[in-house]
Amino acid sequence: MGIAGLYQEMIIDHAKSPRNFRELAGATRTVDVVNSLCGDHLTLYLDLTADGAVCDIAFEGDGCAISRASASLMTMAVKGLPRGEALTLFTRVHSMLTTETVGETALVGVGKLAVLSGVWEYPGRVKCATLAWQALRNALEDGDRRGEKE
Ligand code: ZN
């Protein structure tokens, strides 16, 4: 099995058994996002500290394998991160998902999220993969507009 096959196995595993897939009691932020192109929808729950570090994170929702796997991997990756590091990871992953990844250097700092690096080749799936990340960014940048809807 090549690396593409290995990545596919991990995506299928996370899609079937998503991690942190539950409602989070006591969440300080709740963000709903929808990808109407595919029908994916998810609710992201975050328990943020006063300075925006991600104490705990969970999600619920339904959608395709890519959207579920991406959300599952995202929650694992950002749990425990300070706000700044979570935003840096968002930027890295967003760039990985939307542009051709050239060589290994482009994957530095994304860890297991590299399994999603092939998504940019499928424009119809990019929004599936970025959905959970957009929700994360909304939550982290929503400090002054708490409780309001977009
Ligand atoms: Zn999708």
Side-chain angles (χ1 to χ4, degrees), residues 126-141:
V126 168
K127 283 205 168 176
C128 304
T130 56
L131 189 64
W133 294 87
Q134 297 292 354
L136 172 70
R137 192 179 63 172
N138 289 354
L140 293 173
E141 294 188 339

Side-chain angles (χ1 to χ4, degrees), residues 20-134:
N20 303 305
F21 189 80
R22 61 193 162 89
E23 188 175 351
L24 184 62
T28 57
R29 295 276 198 290
T30 303
V31 180
D32 295 305
V33 282
V34 174
N35 170 22
S36 52
L37 286 179
C38 179
D40 311 315
H41 58 93
L42 62 89
T43 303
L44 185 66
Y45 305 98
L46 297 100
D47 180 10
L48 301 179
T49 64
D51 57 0
V54 183
C55 258
D56 205 357
I57 183 165
F59 77 104
E60 288 183 314
D62 203 5
C64 66
I66 294 285
S67 70
R68 288 162 69 88
S70 183
S72 172
L73 287 158
M74 184 277 284
T75 58
M76 288 179 71
V78 303
K79 196 168 179 173
L81 288 187
R83 182 176 183 276
E85 285 183 32
L87 285 170
T88 300
L89 190 61
F90 165 84
T91 305
R92 282 189 183 138
V93 172
H94 194 264
S95 149
M96 176 185 82
L97 293 173
T98 53
T99 55
E100 184 171 4
T101 316
V102 183
E104 301 265 316
T105 53
L107 299 177
V108 167
V110 300
K112 279 186 186 164
L113 297 159
V115 302
L116 298 167
S117 61
V119 166
W120 71 271
E121 288 185 84
Y122 307 93
R125 312 252 72 160
V126 168
K127 283 205 168 176
C128 304
T130 56
L131 189 64
W133 294 87
Q134 297 292 354

Side-chain angles (χ1 to χ4, degrees), residues 8-19 69:
Q8 199 166 14
E9 289 281 300
M10 270 189 75
I11 288 170
I12 291 165
D13 174 49
H14 277 266
K16 275 189 181 161
S17 332
R19 317 310 196 260

